[in-house]
Amino acid sequence: MTTAGPAPTPEQDKGGLRTALAGLTTRGRSFLAAGIAAAICAYVLGQSDLLRVGLLLAVLPLVCATVLYRTRYRVAGSRRLSPARVPAGSEARVHLRMDNVSRLPTGLLMLQDRVPYVLGPRPRFVLDRVEAGGRREVSYRVRSDLRGRYPLGPLQLRLTDPFGMCELTRSFSTYDTLTVIPRVEALSPVRLNGEAKGYGDGRQRSLALAGEDDVIPRGYRHGDDLRRVHWRSTARYGELMVRREEQPQRARCTVLLDTRAEAYLGAGPDSAFEWAVSGAASMLVHMLERGFSVRLLTDTGNSVPGEGADGFAGASQESADAAGLMMDTLAVIDHSDGTGLSPAYDVVRGGNEGLLVAFLGDLDEEQATVIGKMRQRSGGAVAFLLDSEAWTTEPGEVPGAGGASEESVRLLHEAGWTALTVPRGASLTDLWRQADRQRTGVMSGIGREGRS
């Protein structure tokens, strides 16, 4: 990226000069007007000395504009975000670097970067003379309480002459994108139904029950134990083969996020919908860290594609990239126009989902019944219900009875869910522990009934 180019043609020269004259500052216009006025007065009064002063005042801004336009600074600019993905409410630093790639030193440079208004005021910097081959580095901070993807740039460079008579603006063509992801809470490891199989706290492996001839070999990889070399297959394929004696079964977790517009009231960073998005992000990261294969599912039946049908695999080198991709999806997710949760049920009923964690808005009896059926296809099910009426009640006001929310929780409990209502401003960490205690209490009650 440079601000200079080839020599202008005569047509471009005329247009460029007009641009340079249009860039005269208030000081330059004042000098030009004063010079013209002095020249007119000198002509009327016959004062030659005043005429010379007037000509000097009028010519000075014109000369500055011409010299500034003719000066071919070659300046390269770059931008670096640290980090490029930041949680809502946290700050990111933007580093700007200007390199003078020409053989001439620059004059005074004014640097300005374009940022959306939600990230803060537009940053401006004044750079002193940059020597030939030199560089200058500046930085500024941006912060947003609203998740999303925000463009930064293009970078603008304002050139000025030493007398401050003229200013010209040059823009770079590139820009960068800052991704503001939902806030993520660190969750404590609890043991819920559906977590007991796969990696994590409950790790199971199905050992091969077939004989030596039925072992499925695979190619040798660096680090494999040489004692597992399968010599018969090695002789058959002409390359070193090892026995694949263990087939890891990875636990699965599906996070269901209800995005229906009619299920939530209010807007802004403290709304119920934003809490649900943040809760889904926290749960996804938590399950990935525990080694689960994680899938993000919405009420429309759409999901983030992962490493196959099971979703993204945790406890691997790709888990950080998987978390980043799902965070990018949640950064821009918005309300859907759907009216029901049947599309999500059609996806879930296709197989065993392992652990199912749902973040739901307002539910009527029909939608609560649909959610209840999902329990049959999961090893464990936890639901967090956000009552929009409670979330939109102003501090000091008495919220409604919340009968619809209590009825939905009752229906989910009868279907086998571990269901909790989410009060305004609640912590997901506390609710996650409460869900574990609720599930433990239910299982203890079932055990006592079995012994009686």
Side-chain angles (χ1 to χ4, degrees):
M1 297 180 294
T2 61
T3 59
T9 62
E11 292 76 9
Q12 294 174 338
D13 206 17
K14 295 179 181 178
L17 290 177
R18 286 194 296 267
T19 302
L21 293 177
L24 289 176
T25 62
T26 302
R27 178 184 301 177
R29 296 175 186 274
S30 300
F31 268 65
L32 182 61
I36 294 175
I40 294 176
C41 292
Y43 177 77
V44 173
L45 300 177
Q47 297 291 330
S48 58
D49 294 337
L50 182 59
L51 179 61
R52 286 191 291 269
V53 173
L55 292 177
L56 176 62
L57 293 177
V59 169
L60 181 60
L62 299 178
V63 172
C64 290
T66 303
V67 172
L68 185 63
Y69 172 72
R70 290 291 184 181
T71 301
R72 287 304 178 183
Y73 296 141
R74 295 186 61 85
V75 181
S78 62
R79 182 190 300 104
R80 179 173 58 88
L81 305 182
S82 177
R85 184 186 294 117
V86 62
S90 301
E91 289 186 345
R93 183 172 288 275
V94 183
H95 301 269
L96 303 177
R97 172 177 164 178
M98 304 301 299
D99 294 274
N100 183 10
V101 297
S102 66
R103 298 180 179 179
L104 298 176
T106 69
L108 189 66
L109 303 178
M110 287 179 287
L111 194 62
Q112 177 177 276
D113 204 8
R114 289 187 178 181
V115 299
Y117 71 95
V118 296
L119 297 182
R122 181 172 295 181
R124 295 180 175 89
F125 304 93
V126 178
L127 304 181
D128 294 333
R129 177 179 178 273
V130 181
E131 65 278 5
R135 70 179 58 171
R136 297 290 185 273
E137 294 184 1
V138 293
S139 64
Y140 64 93
R141 297 177 179 178
V142 290
R143 179 182 181 274
S144 174
D145 292 327
L146 299 175
R147 56 185 177 81
R149 294 174 62 88
Y150 301 102
L152 301 179
L155 194 63
Q156 290 185 334
L157 192 64
R158 303 179 66 182
L159 310 176
T160 183
D161 64 281
F163 299 100
M165 298 289 181
C166 182
E167 289 182 356
L168 295 181
T169 302
R170 297 288 184 265
S171 296
F172 295 93
S173 58
T174 60
Y175 65 92
D176 294 279
T177 301
L178 175 68
T179 303
V180 181
I181 63 176
R183 297 183 179 92
V184 175
E185 292 188 44
L187 304 180
S188 58
V190 300
R191 189 178 182 86
L192 293 167
N193 288 348
E195 293 192 34
K197 49 187 176 179
Y199 297 150
D201 292 341
R203 177 178 297 185
Q204 293 182 348
R205 291 178 180 267
S206 60
L207 299 179
L209 301 179
E212 177 75 11
D213 294 337
D214 296 326
V215 172
I216 302 175
R218 63 168 174 83
Y220 175 82
R221 298 173 185 170
H222 178 71
D224 285 340
D225 190 351
L226 293 178
R227 290 175 295 181
R228 294 177 56 191
V229 174
H230 193 251
W231 297 108
R232 184 176 301 176
S233 299
T234 299
R236 180 185 304 172
Y237 294 103
E239 60 177 325
L240 201 59
M241 308 291 290
V242 296
R243 295 188 302 270
R244 186 184 302 177
E245 296 179 347
E246 296 180 346
Q247 297 294 334
Q249 294 180 350
R250 189 182 297 276
R252 301 174 60 185
C253 176
T254 297
V255 178
L256 173 61
L257 176 60
D258 183 7
T259 62
R260 295 172 300 145
E262 63 179 23
Y264 300 93
L265 298 177
D270 298 326
S271 63
F273 179 68
E274 291 301 323
W275 191 97
V277 174
S278 177
S282 303
M283 192 61 60
L284 290 169
V285 172
H286 175 68
M287 289 303 173
L288 277 174
E289 291 176 348
R290 296 196 61 185
F292 280 65
S293 290
V294 180
R295 179 173 63 173
L296 173 63
L297 181 66
T298 65
D299 57 290
T300 60
N302 297 326
S303 60
V304 180
E307 300 175 354
D310 291 342
F312 289 105
S316 64
Q317 295 181 351
E318 293 82 12
S319 59
D321 296 335
L325 181 57
M326 285 190 284
M327 291 301 104
D328 290 344
T329 301
L330 290 175
V332 296
I333 200 169
D334 202 355
H335 291 292
S336 68
D337 297 330
T339 57
L341 297 165
S342 297
Y345 171 69
D346 294 337
V347 175
V348 170
R349 70 177 180 178
N352 186 4
E353 295 301 312
L355 179 64
L356 177 60
V357 183
F359 295 87
L360 307 169
D362 293 333
L363 298 178
D364 54 23
E365 183 176 354
E366 178 183 357
Q367 301 308 319
T369 303
V370 173
I371 291 293
K373 294 179 181 179
M374 295 183 184
R375 176 64 179 85
Q376 303 172 3
R377 295 295 182 179
S378 61
V382 183
F384 300 97
L385 280 75
L386 293 94
D387 187 358
S388 294
E389 184 178 357
W391 278 78
T392 54
T393 301
E394 295 296 332
E397 297 182 4
V398 179
S405 177
E406 294 178 0
E407 179 65 16
S408 300
V409 171
R410 184 187 65 82
L411 292 174
L412 293 184
H413 281 163
E414 293 177 354
W417 281 76
T418 301
L420 298 173
T421 56
V422 180
R424 183 174 182 177
S427 170
L428 179 61
T429 303
D430 298 336
L431 292 174
W432 187 235
R433 295 195 187 100
Q434 183 180 347
D436 179 49
R437 291 193 298 267
Q438 184 182 119
R439 194 273 312 176
T440 303
V442 172
M443 297 302 295
S444 299
I446 294 175
R448 287 194 297 269
E449 291 179 3
R451 292 192 298 270
S452 61

